Amino acid sequence: MAQKARKDRAKSNATALKNLHTGTLIVNVLFVLFHSLFKKRSILLYVVLSIPSFICEYVLESTGRPRYDPSTKALQNAGEDLSAPGLTEYMFDVIWVTWASVMLVVLFGNWGWLLWTVVPAYGAFKGYSLLGAARGMAGMASVEGQQPDGAAPVAGNRRQRRAA
């Protein structure tokens, strides 16, 4: 049963990576064709703002690609689950926002790159909320550690409470 789950994950990862690479190829070829044939767009912004997308795609490829034994073609490693929440999901979001920004640049001009500001803004929001949660936990720990002056400390286990 576990082997079937690994095979299913390997198949879904391979499909997701194929779709990801196909989408990246289409979006980037369209940008280059549009830039060279119709209207000039900022290549510098294109390169600088596409680098995070390419890095995310490389990380997803290297961690999510299933690995097979070259001689027996048996599945060695199914790769990390590409449908997992968290950082994997955020990397896909970076790629999709970059695609949307590139298409907006093709359609509406260099102002389309402003959509890309969503990525660092969302990262800052998540970082700030994580920092706030860490501060809250640290504050609760220090409040729990403090005892009122006249109060006896609460015993840690049942035997100590009975003895008191």
Side-chain angles (χ1 to χ4, degrees):
M1 192 64 158
Q3 187 69 11
K4 182 181 180 327
R6 287 181 57 209
K7 287 181 182 178
D8 288 343
R9 183 172 47 176
K11 185 178 178 182
S12 69
N13 281 0
T15 303
L17 288 171
K18 180 182 174 231
N19 293 338
L20 187 68
H21 296 322
T22 303
T24 299
L25 180 70
I26 289 170
V27 167
N28 291 309
V29 166
L30 282 175
F31 177 82
V32 170
L33 284 175
F34 189 83
H35 171 75
S36 58
L37 297 178
F38 299 110
K39 291 190 175 186
K40 301 295 182 200
R41 304 294 188 216
S42 175
I43 291 292
L44 178 66
L45 281 174
Y46 168 73
V47 169
V48 168
L49 295 178
S50 293
I51 287 173
S53 173
F54 294 141
I55 291 171
C56 289
E57 191 167 349
Y58 173 76
V59 169
L60 290 171
E61 169 70 32
S62 62
T63 60
R65 177 68 62 187
R67 302 210 193 329
Y68 296 93
D69 185 14
S71 58
T72 63
K73 306 290 186 217
L75 181 65
Q76 286 181 336
N77 182 7
E80 296 296 320
D81 187 10
L82 292 181
S83 62
L87 188 59
T88 305
E89 192 175 51
Y90 183 70
M91 285 191 279
F92 273 110
D93 291 345
V94 167
I95 293 168
W96 293 332
V97 168
T98 304
W99 288 356
S101 296
V102 169
M103 295 317 305
L104 286 176
V105 167
V106 166
L107 296 174
F108 302 115
N110 285 329
W111 290 101
W113 292 119
L114 289 177
L115 174 66
W116 210 90
T117 59
V118 168
V119 173
Y122 181 73
F125 168 73
K126 290 302 267 186
Y128 182 75
S129 63
L130 183 65
L131 182 64
R135 283 183 184 165
M137 287 182 174
M140 287 191 334
S142 66
V143 169
E144 288 175 1
Q146 295 176 355
Q147 293 289 332
D149 291 336
V154 178
N157 61 29
R158 190 181 318 162
R159 186 177 290 170
Q160 290 175 343
R161 285 193 304 258
R162 286 182 184 164

